[in-house]
Amino acid sequence: MIRTTHAVQAAALAGAVALVLTACSSGDDGGSGGDETADGDAGPLIIGTLLPQTGTLAYLGPPEIAGVDLAVQEINEAGGVLGSDVEVIHADSSDADHAEVATQSVTDLISQDVQVIVGAASSSVTLNVVDDITGAEIVQISPANTATSLSGYSDFYFRTAPPDTVQGAALGNLITGDGHANVGILVFNDDYGTSLRNVVKTTVEDAGATVVYGNEGEEFDPAASSFATDVTALMATSPDAVVVLAFEQTKQIIPELVAAGVDPATIYMVDGNTADYSADFDPGTLEGAQGTIPGAFPSDDFQARLKEVDPALTDYAYGPESYDATILAALAATKGGGTDGATIQANMAAVSGADGGEECTTFADCVELLDAGEDIQYVGQAGVGPFNEDNDPSSAFIGVYKYGADNKNVWVKAVEGSVGE
């Protein structure tokens, strides 16, 4: 049964300007897998979500929530988990500027006896609440956290999105592959931005290019009201490519860059700001700009299934990762014979294929194999590899998107990368 509630009233955010980070972590020991079985609770599996319904990354919420709801629907159509329907409770994560929202949401979810929480989308939000969640032995699975600093954070923390080492390397290779040699980076001073900046910097320098601006000590204040001074400082270094690592600030930064003479085809962005800007900029403002978003591009069939859950969807970012997170949790409970957090945690790596096993692509098919005593490797919609010892996906795809004259981003290709141990 899908039980949808809102743990925090939207009124708590009235007049707020949000700033969130799409970077997060993974668990530390959960990659070893194994046929772990706990003598645990076999009551209904209750999944909570901690995803952005408000704030700067609220545009990511609908596909993520739809991914969870679609998974729950398909799990229940296949007979549920251990004979009971899965229930889901949706709660708002908001953003790092309104940390009290996620904190209250987590308190409410814990009070409703959830065993799994899917979220947060933001690394900074996760950092604020991960100890409360994992300390209660609730499995947290983020579909969008990418911060490298959080890999191996807790046995109870997993993610179905890769750390920044994969996206940063893909972006750096894209930039140098396009022939750029002097790279300027406008990066906000936050874990998400600086983590990505460090990987991009290493990648472009290893390829023989130079980071002319945006090195350590040259970050901008994400709460600033204007970024004109930062753009002026960047332009003084004569970059031939500009990387913008920001969130909502991007709407102010891009016009400043274009006014300063930057060719939009030399602008690069990432998952935190590769969004639809058709309502924000004049036509052609971003034409030719490129961005990266972790995850394989969802198939037409999967997009159609998501739209059956939420017909208003226009963006699918992290929908596959949210779907896979939910399926994996349900399979772990099924394999372990219990719906308590400890049982789910002990079996997450195994059902992801960390120990090998027969590949399966749907909950129903995977359960059939588990019931027959087989080891499995769930091959999901996001295209990530089995969990490693840090509870990170061992491999993942990064999508490359390009902007047209309408300032909308269109998927171009995907590149696959492995996640370092």
Side-chain angles (χ1 to χ4, degrees), residues 100-369:
E100 73 282 356
V101 176
T103 299
Q104 183 61 54
S105 290
V106 168
T107 298
D108 291 348
L109 290 171
I110 292 174
S111 74
Q112 296 183 74
D113 298 324
V114 301
Q115 303 102 332
V116 176
I117 291 178
V118 177
S122 153
S123 294
S124 290
V125 170
T126 290
L127 283 166
N128 286 332
V129 298
V130 62
D131 290 338
D132 293 333
I133 296 170
T134 60
E137 294 198 344
I138 293 170
V139 174
Q140 182 178 0
I141 316 170
S142 172
N145 292 166
T146 61
T148 55
S149 61
L150 288 168
S151 288
Y153 189 90
S154 166
D155 288 352
F156 280 79
Y157 184 90
F158 296 80
R159 57 177 160 190
T160 49
D164 287 330
T165 49
V166 182
Q167 182 180 195
L171 181 60
N173 288 329
L174 177 65
I175 293 166
T176 56
D178 287 345
H180 299 297
N182 297 296
V183 182
I185 304 175
L186 283 172
V187 52
F188 59 179
N189 191 14
D190 198 281
D191 285 344
Y192 169 69
T194 56
S195 174
L196 264 173
R197 184 271 313 278
N198 293 342
V199 179
V200 172
K201 174 179 167 65
T202 298
T203 303
V204 300
E205 290 178 344
D206 285 349
T210 302
V211 174
V212 296
Y213 185 82
N215 293 292
E216 186 173 356
E218 294 175 326
E219 303 85 4
F220 67 81
D221 179 0
S225 58
S226 171
F227 307 100
T229 301
D230 304 287
V231 170
T232 298
L234 167 86
M235 295 304 294
T237 64
S238 302
D240 60 13
V242 176
V243 182
V244 182
L245 303 179
F247 291 143
E248 190 76 5
Q249 305 89 346
T250 304
K251 293 179 181 179
Q252 293 174 263
I253 291 170
I254 294 298
E256 293 275 4
L257 289 172
V258 173
V262 174
D263 179 352
T266 65
I267 294 174
Y268 296 82
M269 297 186 290
V270 286
D271 58 321
N273 56 1
T274 300
D276 180 347
Y277 293 103
S278 57
D280 302 297
F281 301 144
D282 292 334
T285 299
L286 273 175
E287 188 171 7
Q290 297 179 81
T292 53
I293 300 176
F297 191 71
S299 66
D300 290 344
D301 172 69
F302 188 66
Q303 289 184 44
R305 285 155 60 195
L306 287 174
K307 285 185 76 70
E308 287 180 6
V309 173
D310 182 355
L313 280 183
T314 58
D315 190 344
Y316 302 94
Y318 298 115
E321 288 81 2
S322 300
Y323 175 91
D324 288 347
T326 308
I327 297 290
L328 284 163
L331 289 173
T334 300
K335 180 176 176 61
T339 54
D340 57 290
T343 298
I344 295 169
Q345 184 278 330
N347 289 277
M348 283 285 290
V351 297
S352 78
D355 302 328
E358 187 168 344
E359 292 187 357
C360 50
T361 59
T362 69
F363 176 78
D365 288 347
C366 291
V367 168
E368 184 176 349
L369 290 170

Side-chain angles (χ1 to χ4, degrees), residues 379-395:
V379 179
Q381 294 293 328
V384 299
F387 290 120
N388 63 16
E389 65 180 6
D390 285 335
N391 294 350
D392 284 337
S394 53
S395 63

